[in-house]
Amino acid sequence: MAKNKLDWHTGEQNNGRAPLSLENVHVSYATRRGKVRAIRGVTLDLHAGESLALIGESGSGKSTLGLAIVRLLPETAETSPGVITYRRDGREVDVLRLKPNEMREFRWSECAMVFQAALNAFNPVLKVWAQALDTAKAHGWHDKDAIRRRLVELLEFVQLDPKRVIDSYPHELSGGMRQRVLLALSLLLNPQILILDEPTTALDIITQRTIIKLLRELKEEQHFTMIFISHDLAIAAELADRVATMYAGRVVELGASDDIFYRPRHPYTLGLIRAVPTVTGGFEQLFSIPGSPPDLVELPSGCKFHPRCAFATDRCKQEEPELEEVGPGHTAACWHWREVEAELQRNPLHRGALNVLDVIEIDEEVVS
Amino acid sequence: MAPILEVRNLTKQFGKGKERVTAVDSVSFAIEPGETVCLVGESGCGKSTTGRMVAGLLEATSGEVLFEGKNIKQLDSAAFRRYRQSVQIIHQDPYSSLNPTQTVRQILTAPLLRHNKVKPGATAEKRALELLEVVDLTPARDVIDKYPHQLSGGQRQRVAVARALTVDPKFIVADEAVSMVDVSIRVSILTMLARLKEEFHVTFLFITHDLALAKYFAWEGRITVMYLGRIVEDGPTQRLITDPRHPYTQALLSAVPEADPELAQHKRQIELRGAEIPSLLALPPGCTFHPRCPYFAPGLCDVAAPPLEAIPEGGRVACPVRRQERVSLLV
Ligand SMILES: Nc1ncnc2c1ncn2[C@@H]1O[C@H](COP(=O)(O)OP(=O)(O)OP(=O)(O)O)[C@@H](O)[C@H]1O
Ligand SMILES: Nc1ncnc2c1ncn2[C@@H]1O[C@H](COP(=O)(O)OP(=O)(O)O)[C@@H](O)[C@H]1O
Ligand code: SF4
Ligand code: SF4
Ligand SMILES: [Mg+2]
Ligand SMILES: [Mg+2]
């Protein structure tokens, strides 16, 4: 396979190992109503081999951030200021300065994105095999037999029958099959990073489980570096090493998955967790977050969460907090995170299993 | 107590000739007044079709719907109208079910006036404002002159509930009523619906594909699981969630992603023999789950459709092979 010809630089010492770094990234959309400030200053390092989940309500900016990284935003979007740096083998590129042909290379061979609406992501008039061939050829790979072998291997990996799928049109496949074909295609040119936008949304539960298992394998056996974007906290709990909560275009909390789920320090993260039921956990009281997400054209003053926050004070209405360290490898952007900590000491978040004793007692017989 | 709603061998077929499918196949259940029943299952299993037949929006191909003990097919036209008012349906997408050219005031006062629901001495507007308070759209005066597009998804869903309440329903079919609402506000809508149960004695048939939500909403009620048009298991929620007996129910519960890392780690993975759901156009013989079922017994499961039989722990299970076996969902 032809190795790519991006404009690499020698990496700097600091952050030398993070394959992807975002520094103060901003994105806005021009609309008739005014500027929609979808991303407002995101700074983030993605570590090699980790899976990071971006969670938050609809409109919090998750997809916009993913699209900004692979530069697939519509023309009405402006990505500035901000710097996105991509690194591999001790060298680095400035993603926002890549030329269009380099960008295409980047999207397939370095950092691939699998989209929310799996059907739109395909060319509807091309069979799966033709899509793969086109992609490979566009990247200077012409050995048809080798391409076919690689595609068959990938289709088998995503548990599809290559014979059945390879000569199908996208519309002939079910939603779950399409999502798996897309995953296979995105791996065709061996990218280092995979960004998955709502990888299981709109799929049936059993299909969701198949996709989650596949993604776990990618993560645990092939050590892919991945970003999961989902409004569904369960995807983060099932797959992520680290979780970033987004609200009104900012990362408001970032930490190891267990820290986020059991020791959140931002009131919004706490609110999301307390709003979501589990199936095998004990029965617990759920709470919703009052109000609704802010208008990104006319943002509230100070902390953007203050109109909905039970911990808010006057200071919150005036000054917007920055991320600060609240524990090892754990940051939150909240003036009053210590009060969230105190609240959790009173009412901890560990759910525990439903009828644990009962469950263990009858456990002799194993299904799989 | 006599059931408020009962369906017997309810069946719905769509299409003609080769394209004919049985979307709902001989479904029977009864719901008592004040009870909350959740209908769960994957997309296309027949939940909405069942809900629409229950609400009288769709005619059954065969079988019966009994509302307050009476077969709805045998009602005279006045009684049928009363039944249609008593059973209201709330849909998934309030945006498409609310008329975009009408204000909330018009959306609520029109049915109040049309059905003579304004009490003497009151006005339709006063009643509309009361209903907005009931669904927690306060201050009601700020909302009443808005158009649907000026409201958030959650607020629109509350208006849809208020509209259903204009005709004093006794029974509400809520079809994926919170599926399109953001997680952060879902719970407040569920809490509001639960309050209608208490304060207005409304009985709910709550349709959802989300089992965690079903567990939460119907914790004191019952869950009915459908697969390819048939009921495969039902029972009191707490029994069904902790001690599911039908292999499909077990597969479904074990597949649900959990919003808790520890539970996610300890969930049992049940391996199905086949991944794809069969098409309604080519249903497997016998138990329709048999091509995927890990307990498939040849010569038994692929011969006759297993009957739905009661178990002592509560509810019914359509699987003679596994009806009495307990399986843990956590390891
Ligand atoms: N093409 C566009 N033009 C104008 N505004 C847009 C456009 N795309 C997205 N936005 C706005 O940007 C904000 C963030 O959108 P984005 O889709 O990134 O959020 P999200 O959290 O991924 O939401 P969802 O879960 O609904 O996909 C929203 O307010 C959205 O309305
Ligand atoms: N009007 C219709 N014409 C033909 N098929 C239909 C119609 N409505 C529903 N169906 C089919 O009936 C089955 C059950 O549908 P539905 O009750 O909507 O499922 P659910 O609500 O559980 O997703 C599906 O296969 C669906 O395609
Ligand atoms: S800064 Fe204030 S308003 Fe913002 S989340 Fe913290 S307590 Fe709430
Ligand atoms: S009847 Fe047979 S195939 Fe069907 S669920 Fe029971 S064991 Fe499985
Ligand atoms: Mg999105
Ligand atoms: Mg439906």
Side-chain angles (χ1 to χ4, degrees), chain A residues 14-256:
Chain A
N14 57 344
N15 285 337
R17 290 170 56 217
L20 188 73
S21 298
L22 312 188
E23 263 175 74
N24 196 30
V25 171
H26 289 72
V27 179
S28 55
Y29 294 100
T31 69
R32 244 180 300 154
R33 284 183 58 230
K35 234 183 186 182
V36 173
R37 301 175 62 198
I39 299 291
R40 301 178 304 115
V42 168
T43 297
L44 192 70
D45 277 335
L46 184 66
H47 305 317
E50 81 165 338
S51 41
L52 172 75
L54 301 180
I55 60 171
E57 280 162 284
S58 164
S60 57
K62 309 177 298 295
S63 305
T64 301
L65 192 60
L67 291 167
I69 295 169
V70 293
R71 288 182 49 199
L72 285 175
L73 289 165
E75 282 187 0
T76 51
E78 188 189 340
T79 311
S80 143
V83 180
I84 300 177
T85 310
Y86 173 78
R87 303 184 185 82
R88 188 170 192 167
D89 306 328
R91 296 176 303 167
E92 62 182 44
V93 286
D94 183 340
V95 176
L96 296 180
R97 295 215 178 140
L98 293 177
K99 297 184 204 73
N101 61 328
E102 295 177 314
M103 208 49 228
R104 224 169 302 133
E105 187 82 49
F106 176 75
R107 257 174 237 139
W108 285 95
S109 313
E110 306 295 343
C111 180
M113 182 154 174
V114 180
F115 290 97
Q116 186 162 5
L119 189 56
N120 307 343
F122 284 102
N123 182 339
V125 300
L126 288 187
K127 293 179 176 174
V128 170
W129 163 240
Q131 313 246 358
L133 199 59
D134 265 20
T135 306
K137 282 188 173 164
H139 293 84
W141 192 18
H142 295 285
D143 180 350
K144 268 195 180 183
D145 289 340
I147 299 167
R148 194 157 186 118
R149 273 198 305 277
R150 173 82 178 138
L151 181 62
V152 165
E153 176 188 298
L154 289 167
L155 289 172
E156 279 169 356
F157 169 71
V158 298
Q159 285 167 30
L160 290 171
D161 176 4
K163 283 195 289 300
R164 179 170 165 204
V165 169
I166 216 161
D167 289 314
S168 299
Y169 290 102
H171 68 89
E172 295 171 338
L173 306 169
S174 74
M177 291 166 85
R178 277 201 296 268
Q179 191 63 294
R180 280 179 277 169
V181 170
L182 270 189
L183 191 59
L185 286 178
S186 70
L187 297 174
L188 192 68
L189 299 181
N190 280 316
Q192 181 185 207
I193 300 175
L194 209 50
I195 302 176
L196 299 116
D197 192 1
E198 304 283 1
T200 62
T201 304
L203 298 178
D204 267 324
I205 298 164
I206 291 178
T207 316
Q208 283 190 28
R209 177 54 62 187
T210 317
I211 304 277
I212 289 174
K213 274 191 196 154
L214 277 175
L215 295 173
R216 273 219 183 118
E217 264 176 62
L218 276 183
K219 170 183 134 128
E220 282 161 15
E221 286 158 31
Q222 317 222 8
H223 308 288
F224 261 96
T225 305
M226 297 195 270
I227 300 179
F228 297 104
I229 295 175
S230 186
H231 69 282
D232 182 357
L233 296 197
I235 297 308
E238 293 271 353
L239 289 168
D241 303 314
R242 285 198 304 156
V243 179
T245 314
M246 292 195 66
Y247 191 77
R250 279 203 176 185
V251 172
V252 295
E253 183 161 13
L254 175 63

Side-chain angles (χ1 to χ4, degrees), chain A residues 57 262 280-281 289 365 368, chain B residues 184 215 258 260 262 269 326:
Chain A
E57 280 162 284
Y262 304 125
T280 35
I289 305 176
E365 170 211 19
S368 66
Chain B
S184 69
K215 165 194 163 192
E258 294 279 15
D260 180 299
E262 268 179 35
Q269 307 292 316
R326 304 179 75 185

Side-chain angles (χ1 to χ4, degrees), chain A residues 263-268 270 274 309-316 324 326 332-348:
Chain A
R263 295 171 288 280
R265 295 294 178 253
H266 195 284
Y268 178 61
L270 176 62
R274 284 199 167 151
C309 182
F311 297 85
T313 59
D314 279 344
R315 182 181 193 187
C316 306
E324 65 174 286
V326 298
C334 172
W335 298 124
H336 303 302
W337 63 267
R338 283 180 199 283
E339 280 154 56
V340 179
E341 183 176 21
E343 154 68 16
L344 280 170
Q345 260 149 22
R346 292 189 296 272
N347 300 303

Side-chain angles (χ1 to χ4, degrees), chain B residues 148-204:
Chain B
H149 71 89
Q150 295 173 305
L151 302 171
S152 70
Q155 288 173 322
R156 284 198 291 268
Q157 199 54 287
R158 289 175 197 275
V159 172
V161 175
R163 185 183 56 183
L165 292 176
T166 54
V167 292
D168 304 319
K170 297 176 181 167
F171 193 97
I172 291 181
V173 178
D175 189 355
E176 303 281 2
V178 296
S179 301
M180 283 177 62
V181 174
D182 258 318
V183 280
S184 69
I185 36 195
R186 238 176 233 182
V187 180
S188 62
I189 294 187
L190 293 180
T191 310
M192 181 265 289
L193 294 178
R195 221 183 49 231
L196 300 181
K197 232 166 28 182
E198 301 301 320
E199 287 179 19
F200 298 83
H201 309 289
V202 177
T203 304
F204 274 93

Side-chain angles (χ1 to χ4, degrees), chain A residues 56-59 160 164 174 177 180 200 203-210 212-213 216 220 231-235 237-238 257-258 261-262 268 271-293 308 349-355 358-360 362-363 365-368, chain B residues 41-44 47 152 155 158 179 182-191 209-217 219-220 227 238 241-243 248 250-265 267-272 274-277 289 292 294-295 322 325-331:
Chain A
E57 280 162 284
S58 164
L160 290 171
R164 179 170 165 204
S174 74
M177 291 166 85
R180 280 179 277 169
T200 62
L203 298 178
D204 267 324
I205 298 164
I206 291 178
T207 316
Q208 283 190 28
R209 177 54 62 187
T210 317
I212 289 174
K213 274 191 196 154
R216 273 219 183 118
E220 282 161 15
H231 69 282
D232 182 357
L233 296 197
I235 297 308
E238 293 271 353
S257 179
D258 280 0
F261 278 95
Y262 304 125
Y268 178 61
L272 285 178
I273 292 167
R274 284 199 167 151
V276 178
T278 59
V279 169
T280 35
F283 182 81
E284 68 225 290
Q285 199 56 49
L286 300 180
F287 303 92
S288 57
I289 305 176
S292 44
R308 308 174 71 188
L349 272 173
H350 264 276
R351 299 168 191 265
L354 193 58
N355 298 351
D358 213 21
V359 163
I360 289 165
I362 59 165
D363 207 14
E365 170 211 19
V366 172
V367 175
S368 66
Chain B
E42 293 175 279
S43 159
K47 307 181 295 293
S152 70
Q155 288 173 322
R158 289 175 197 275
S179 301
D182 258 318
V183 280
S184 69
I185 36 195
R186 238 176 233 182
V187 180
S188 62
I189 294 187
L190 293 180
T191 310
H209 67 279
D210 182 336
L211 282 132
L213 214 63
K215 165 194 163 192
Y216 181 75
F217 191 70
W219 184 243
E220 305 289 342
Y227 183 68
Q238 297 174 36
I241 292 283
T242 53
D243 182 18
Y248 177 68
Q250 294 167 355
L252 211 51
L253 289 169
S254 82
V256 177
E258 294 279 15
D260 180 299
E262 268 179 35
L263 293 175
Q265 281 292 317
K267 224 35 195 298
R268 162 165 283 145
Q269 307 292 316
I270 294 180
E271 297 292 340
L272 294 183
E276 299 295 324
I277 275 200
F289 189 53
R292 308 171 78 192
Y295 304 101
R322 303 291 302 174
E325 309 291 333
R326 304 179 75 185
V327 164
S328 161
L329 292 175
L330 294 173
V331 287

